[in-house]
Amino acid sequence: MKFGKVVPAIPYLIPAIGHAFSLAWDTTETLSQAIKFSGGVFPVRLKLGVTDITVLAGPDNIQLLWKLSQKLTTKGYKDVLVHSMFGMPKRAVSFFMCDDSGSNRIPNQGSDIRPEHRIEFLTHSTITKFLTGPSLKTLCQRFTENLAVELSNVSISYMWQDLPDLNSIFESEVLRAALNAMCGPLLVSFNPDFTRDFFEMENGMSRLAKHFPRWLIPDTYNARDRCLRSIKRWHKFARSHGGSGTEAIVGEWDLYYGAKLMRSRQEVWAKMDAMDDDAAASEDLGLIWASAANSIPAAFWMLVHVINDPFLLRRARHEMEKCIVPSTTIGRDSAFDVTALCNNPLLQSIYAETLRLRAFPFLIRSPEREDLSFKEWLLPKSKFILISSYHAQMDENVWNTGSAKDCHPLAEFWADRFLIYPGNGASGPLKPSFRPQPAPRPDQADVTQETTSKQEEQGKEPIFTTEGLAGAWVPFGGGHRMCPGRHFAKVEIIATFAMMCTMFDIELIGGLPAPNMKEVGWGTLPTSGKTPCRIRRRR
């Protein structure tokens, strides 16, 4: 038996309810109060009716939790959400919940789950395997080629024209390019309205997660039902025509299933009775949502923040020009070297700052096999632990906000926040007081007041870094269950941004759109309304 102090609870008025109403009504404010109560030093509990949830904050605490992640699971909350969000049949949910073998390669001691029924391990390991290495390279290549075709065919001329909502390009052409890369061409060709249905579902996803009944949000439920029917139609055709042989597979690409990942998932589920057609469709809808519903809005935010600043746009286009290479695709003279794009310091910094400012998922774990000793505290088995990425990524004790003469508050976009300029001690993402301090050298001059522009004039190349941010920059989570799709997401976001910047001139009408802060906790924030703009194709 493990011993430790009970995590203190935030005071509440009604014992049978606790903080349930306040958390549902204003989640961000309730979490802010909890973190203020603890000062980010120790964990605190929120009472939610008959259960409770532990709120963890502070970079040291978050990093420690990631180090203990082998003892944690995302099971429980995820298994419930796949039913409410993606319509997973309850039989399949029970199958997920009964898997006590864990997510590691070696099953948990005492588990009698058959190897082919280890749904948590097999699902996670399959995604991880096929979103790295040669499979990832093929997926990224397919996406960028698809996107170039989609954007070339969009009805935008060389003359300025008004576009009621810039998001419409992202929700149609960009999503279609991503779907065709991941799922192959059949899903969208069989179901031309899938992109529209998907984002209609996505607009109500947080309400699905909160178990709103169908009669309150019928349009959201109906859109989800159409998405599921579309996926089942695609699955049925792929199974009947793709067979189980290799004739449909060309390298890492599958003519019927798209990315090798999607066929491999089908092969895993074929050995599980609970994973019938309905369950498989729900699982794939969840994967598509996890990929597209966060990366596509992030690409949108990356674009609008840059085009809203003409000087930054010129800087970004200059960096992108360095990444253009001769195209190997018939009909195209040039293309981007995606590896060079995704390794460019400025573009990486813009990407990271976009996620810091606009991607706020709740990160939920729970001790899997036994109570977890966390410093002097005891975190009970199977009880949820919540990290708010919003509060981590807005922590003024951690993040650099510039100097008094060149201030960059955390609520504002700063393209250079993740860049270290050699010789400039005031640069970089971490607040100087939060960094480990090396011993001073006698020959080192005090250069902490040098500005970014001065460093650039001296020709010193900046360095992109996220070092020291494991407990502060957490759009993909951390530890053992860090998002396995983060590498593809980075390519999707930066490549989409680069192609939109180089293929079109865009002027926002009315300035930057406002984010919908009510959606904090559910991933990348949507806008609170449309984003009208003027747009023309570049020559």
Side-chain angles (χ1 to χ4, degrees), residues 417-459:
R417 199 179 303 271
F418 288 79
L419 293 180
I420 293 177
Y421 285 89
N424 181 356
S427 63
L430 288 172
K431 188 179 285 292
S433 60
F434 193 77
R435 304 170 194 163
Q437 297 298 318
R441 284 172 22 199
D443 59 337
Q444 277 188 324
D446 181 7
V447 293
T448 58
Q449 299 303 313
E450 294 186 59
T451 64
T452 294
S453 58
K454 184 176 180 180
Q455 292 298 321
E456 287 182 314
E457 290 170 2
Q458 293 175 350

Side-chain angles (χ1 to χ4, degrees), residues 397-419:
N397 295 315
V398 175
W399 290 93
N400 188 4
T401 55
S403 64
K405 293 182 179 180
D406 187 24
C407 186
H408 299 278
L410 294 180
E412 296 180 5
F413 183 86
W414 182 22
D416 293 76
R417 199 179 303 271
F418 288 79
L419 293 180

Side-chain angles (χ1 to χ4, degrees), residues 86-227:
F86 307 115
M88 175 74 75
K90 289 186 177 180
R91 177 176 178 238
V93 173
S94 297
F95 179 70
F96 273 79
M97 295 291 285
C98 289
D99 177 14
D100 62 356
S101 65
S103 60
N104 299 317
R105 184 177 60 84
I106 299 175
N108 288 330
Q109 188 174 2
S111 174
D112 59 358
I113 298 295
R114 290 159 53 186
E116 66 272 20
H117 285 180
R118 297 189 62 206
I119 183 69
E120 185 178 9
F121 165 71
L122 292 170
T123 299
H124 183 73
S125 61
T126 300
I127 292 175
T128 301
K129 175 182 178 181
F130 290 106
L131 288 181
T132 54
S135 296
L136 174 65
K137 183 177 180 180
T138 299
L139 182 61
C140 293
Q141 181 181 350
R142 289 277 178 175
F143 171 72
T144 54
E145 290 175 354
N146 292 346
L147 185 60
V149 172
E150 292 286 349
L151 295 181
S152 295
N153 293 336
V154 69
S155 298
I156 294 174
S157 71
Y158 293 101
M159 303 293 291
W160 284 109
Q161 63 190 78
D162 289 342
L163 190 64
D165 189 4
L166 179 57
N167 245 324
S168 62
I169 296 177
F170 289 81
E171 294 180 358
S172 54
E173 280 76 15
V174 179
L175 175 57
R176 194 157 49 238
L179 288 171
N180 287 343
M182 179 171 285
C183 306
L186 299 182
L187 174 59
V188 175
S189 62
F190 286 175
N191 310 282
D193 293 331
F194 185 87
T195 55
R196 184 191 64 193
D197 293 336
F198 178 84
F199 273 103
E200 187 173 350
M201 175 194 72
E202 159 59 11
N203 289 337
M205 189 57 75
S206 63
R207 290 179 285 280
L208 285 175
K210 294 175 182 177
H211 304 280
F212 277 45
R214 183 180 285 267
W215 63 268
L216 269 180
I217 50 171
D219 291 344
T220 300
Y221 275 94
N222 292 337
R224 187 188 70 182
D225 292 346
R226 292 193 297 272
C227 287

Side-chain angles (χ1 to χ4, degrees), residues 22-134:
S22 62
L23 193 66
W25 180 259
D26 192 338
T27 306
T28 305
E29 178 58 25
T30 302
L31 293 176
S32 295
Q33 292 300 319
I35 294 169
K36 182 179 180 181
F37 180 86
S38 73
V41 176
F42 54 87
V44 293
R45 280 186 299 126
L46 293 176
K47 189 72 175 174
L48 306 177
V50 297
T51 187
D52 51 45
I53 188 168
T54 298
V55 178
L56 203 63
D60 293 339
N61 288 330
I62 295 172
Q63 289 188 69
L64 176 57
L65 193 72
W66 297 152
K67 291 177 182 178
L68 298 170
S69 62
Q70 291 279 2
K71 301 179 180 180
L72 303 171
T73 181
T74 57
K75 220 164 72 74
Y77 92 93
K78 279 184 69 174
D79 297 344
V80 172
L81 287 182
V82 293
H83 172 66
S84 60
M85 294 171 69
F86 307 115
M88 175 74 75
K90 289 186 177 180
R91 177 176 178 238
V93 173
S94 297
F95 179 70
F96 273 79
M97 295 291 285
C98 289
D99 177 14
D100 62 356
S101 65
S103 60
N104 299 317
R105 184 177 60 84
I106 299 175
N108 288 330
Q109 188 174 2
S111 174
D112 59 358
I113 298 295
R114 290 159 53 186
E116 66 272 20
H117 285 180
R118 297 189 62 206
I119 183 69
E120 185 178 9
F121 165 71
L122 292 170
T123 299
H124 183 73
S125 61
T126 300
I127 292 175
T128 301
K129 175 182 178 181
F130 290 106
L131 288 181
T132 54

